[in-house]
Structures are given as C-alpha cells and as structure tokens.
Amino acid sequence: MAFFGTTTAATAEPKDAELVDPPADDISALAFSSAPQSDYLAVGSWDNNVRIYEINSQGQSQGKAAYTHDGPVLDVCWNKDGSKLFSGGVDKAAKMFDLNTGTSQQVGAHEAAVRCIRWVEAPTGGVLATASWDKTVKYWDLRSPNPVASLTMAERVYTMDVQYPLMVVGNAERSIQIINLNNPTTIFKSITSPLKWQTRVIACFPNASGFAVGSVEGRVAIQYVEEKESSSNFSFKCHRQDQNGSKDQQGVYAVNAITFHQGYGTFSTAGSDGTINFWDKDSKTRLKTFPRCPGPITATAFSKTGSIFAYAISYDWSKGYTGKLPSVPTKVMLHAVKDEDIKKKAKR
C-alpha cells in the first residue's frame, strides 16, 4: 500500500556544493554542531580519521581540524554548545576532541567496536552515551574514566538515537529497546521491529514522541512510543528502483540514513540506491526527490538552523567487496534547503 501518495519530481536547481578535501576512504557519519558562531561539520570515515570543516552561508567550506582513531570511525556527535566533538570506532574507543584546545583524548571504551555515540543533555548535566557490538550501552561522565552506568542490550547494537528524554537502540535480530532517560538504567520497552528485515537506522522524532526505523529492504516504519498513539504507526516503501523499465521488477536498496529537521519535524531518507527524499510523516507526503547520485548515500545531516543539508556519497559495502567500484566517488555534498522543500504540507 502506498502511504506516501504525492511524488515531487526532481527539478533543475543550483548545483550542490562539494566539501573541500574530503576523506580518502568511505564516509560513515556526519554531524553539524550547534555552536552559535559558525556551522561546523564533523565527518567520520573508514580511513581512521575525524575531520572538522567550517561551512559559510554560501556553502563554501574549509578544513579546521582533524584527529585520528586506531581503526575506522563509525559515528560522531557534538555536545550541546558545540565546544566538544565525540567519536566512536572499530578500535573500541570513544574519543573527545576539544575545539578550544585542539586536543583529543579517549573518554570511553568497550569490549568491541563502538558503533554509536550520542550526547545526552539532561537537566542534571550532560553525559555521553556509547553503544557497541559488545551488546552494551554505557553512560560516561567526562570527569571519570569509568562508566557511571551500563545497560545490557538484547543483541549487538547497529543504530541508536537520542532526543531527550527518549533513547532508542536498534540491535541485531530486529530487536529494538526504548529507554526513558529519566530512568536511564532501565529498559522502558522492548519491541521487535515492525519491518521484516535487518534494522539499518533509527532516528527519534524532534518532539521525542516516537521514532523512524529504516531497514535493508527499502522500507521505513514510523513508530510512536505510547500505546495510545499506536494507531498512527505505519510503514512505507522507499529506495526502490524499477528494473528493465518495469514496475513489476524492482531493485530493493537499504535505507542508510534518516535525519529529522529539528524545526519542522519533517525528515530525510537516503539509501544504497543513491537517492534522497524529504518526507512529511503527518500528511504522509513526499516533499522532495533529489537527482540520483553516482553512488550510495551513507550519511546525512541538517545544520542547526536546517538551512544546509549535508550528504555523503561513498560505498556502503551493501554488495560486498565486488561492489567496491572505482566509479563510486567519496565526497560530501552541501545542499541549500528551500523552505518549501522541507516545510510540512497541510493535511488532506
């Protein structure tokens, strides 16, 4: 069933700007800071590096800083004021980079790769949350070398997102754990993903009432936390391409990234098929379709005002080693967001 009925065709518009000096290897994560003075974009990649770029209002970019892990970087996030950047990687370490001093240090560790990292801005103070393939989520007070608390997950963690007080963790075997961060050491609810295939990405609604789940089979589910809103849950197909000119034969692609616009509550999806869409979940409308890119989209991010949309084009290993072709570029693009492309439409 097609829940999103309106499809906006890709239209000719100014070309997106390309980030200068991108990583040399595949890009795993993007995150804009909320620092008031400038738009800083963090880029984590498989060449073991985290890079920080400054973006001006014209979409021009320049490198500002970089630091390294001892293995591929899998995720990045900023603290609330944008003064510190955090990253996790295959080296089992969580690191912090201080923009004021230009130095990095390890602030957390796991028994396996740190797959996800998020800053939790709680009323009592900020803590760092890390999630790992070792089946744990750990909370870190940056003043202490040991975690202040830890949670055991059902399986290896593949994705995690936070919108205080909501934390949602997606694991292997399609299990999803929902945590109320007012009680961070207890799992509020455990569910099985409403999607039939492996969970790829989870993103929380800006108002923390629910979350979106993307899977490897080109499908997204919209889920509300409270049972009283469960009638609003739904799922829809996306990131599928007709094969041989026939709608009866479709290539099915993973949903690699879901990012919510913090101002409007609309969201983007990006996939292995190299396409990006903007959606309004409330009116069940597709707002915008981007032209298809020359490779998979591996990560996306909106700037703090939502006026810039960054997306990474690089190989996502969805087709294994043989799919790593020289024709697939490694770059980050910056798109100027028009209000009419991302603002909610009136319900029909």
Side-chain angles (χ1 to χ4, degrees), residues 281-301:
K281 65 178 175 59
D282 297 330
S283 63
K284 297 179 178 176
T285 305
R286 177 160 34 192
L287 303 173
K288 177 181 175 62
T289 299
F290 284 61
R292 193 173 184 181
C293 296
I297 311 298
T298 53
T300 56

Side-chain angles (χ1 to χ4, degrees), residues 5-16:
T6 302
T7 301
T8 304
T11 55
E13 55 186 38
K15 284 189 175 181
D16 294 345

Side-chain angles (χ1 to χ4, degrees), residues 251-305:
V252 178
Y253 298 85
V255 179
N256 288 334
I258 300 174
T259 306
F260 277 88
H261 188 284
Q262 295 300 303
Y264 292 133
T266 49
F267 65 99
S268 65
T269 64
S272 292
D273 59 344
T275 67
I276 299 166
N277 297 297
F278 288 170
W279 308 90
D280 177 2
K281 65 178 175 59
D282 297 330
S283 63
K284 297 179 178 176
T285 305
R286 177 160 34 192
L287 303 173
K288 177 181 175 62
T289 299
F290 284 61
R292 193 173 184 181
C293 296
I297 311 298
T298 53
T300 56
F302 282 105
S303 63
K304 62 180 179 288
T305 62

Side-chain angles (χ1 to χ4, degrees), residues 27-304:
I27 297 160
S28 54
L30 301 174
F32 275 103
S33 87
S34 56
Q37 68 273 20
S38 193
D39 277 316
Y40 290 113
L41 177 65
V43 181
S45 56
W46 280 77
D47 63 2
N48 304 2
N49 289 300
V50 179
R51 295 170 174 83
I52 302 168
Y53 301 84
E54 185 174 5
I55 317 295
N56 68 17
S57 57
Q58 283 76 47
Q60 297 167 324
S61 57
Q62 71 176 99
K64 298 295 288 184
Y67 65 98
T68 63
H69 276 254
D70 292 328
V73 178
L74 299 180
D75 204 9
V76 295
C77 75
W78 297 85
N79 71 341
K80 185 180 180 180
D81 66 10
S83 64
K84 294 177 176 62
L85 173 66
F86 303 94
S87 53
V90 176
D91 58 359
K92 309 175 186 179
K95 286 193 169 186
M96 177 182 74
F97 182 84
D98 189 317
L99 264 69
N100 296 319
T101 64
T103 59
S104 66
Q105 66 182 89
Q106 184 169 335
V107 292
H110 280 264
E111 296 299 314
V114 179
R115 178 61 187 88
C116 307
I117 193 162
R118 288 291 183 273
W119 182 254
V120 178
E121 190 66 30
T124 54
V127 294
L128 184 68
T130 57
S132 170
W133 292 341
D134 68 8
K135 305 180 185 180
T136 67
V137 170
K138 295 181 180 181
Y139 302 101
W140 306 87
D141 181 328
L142 302 181
R143 298 165 295 186
S144 171
N146 298 313
V148 293
S150 183
L151 264 176
T152 300
M153 296 290 106
E155 251 291 355
R156 290 153 291 159
V157 176
Y158 286 167
T159 178
M160 176 178 74
D161 199 24
V162 169
Q163 189 71 262
Y164 193 86
L166 176 66
M167 172 188 278
V168 186
V169 184
N171 311 303
E173 306 300 332
R174 297 170 49 235
S175 72
I176 295 174
Q177 264 80 49
I178 301 167
I179 295 123
N180 181 342
L181 288 167
N182 291 314
N183 190 10
T185 57
T186 302
I187 293 172
F188 173 73
K189 186 189 291 186
S190 293
I191 65 171
T192 299
S193 170
L195 306 179
K196 295 179 181 178
W197 296 86
Q198 179 182 301
T199 302
R200 186 79 163 159
V201 61
I202 283 174
C204 296
F205 301 169
N207 67 4
S209 65
F211 54 95
V213 186
S215 74
V216 298
E217 57 130 3
R219 193 181 288 268
V220 168
I222 300 297
Q223 289 287 118
Y224 287 83
V225 174
E226 296 295 339
E227 202 65 38
K228 63 185 179 184
E229 295 183 279
S230 62
S231 61
S232 298
N233 294 344
F234 68 98
S235 64
F236 63 96
K237 296 177 183 177
C238 53
H239 301 288
R240 301 183 179 209
Q241 299 289 335
D242 295 343
Q243 305 289 305
N244 304 317
S246 171
K247 290 188 177 296
D248 296 328
Q249 297 180 19
Q250 283 193 323
V252 178
Y253 298 85
V255 179
N256 288 334
I258 300 174
T259 306
F260 277 88
H261 188 284
Q262 295 300 303
Y264 292 133
T266 49
F267 65 99
S268 65
T269 64
S272 292
D273 59 344
T275 67
I276 299 166
N277 297 297
F278 288 170
W279 308 90
D280 177 2
K281 65 178 175 59
D282 297 330
S283 63
K284 297 179 178 176
T285 305
R286 177 160 34 192
L287 303 173
K288 177 181 175 62
T289 299
F290 284 61
R292 193 173 184 181
C293 296
I297 311 298
T298 53
T300 56
F302 282 105
S303 63
K304 62 180 179 288

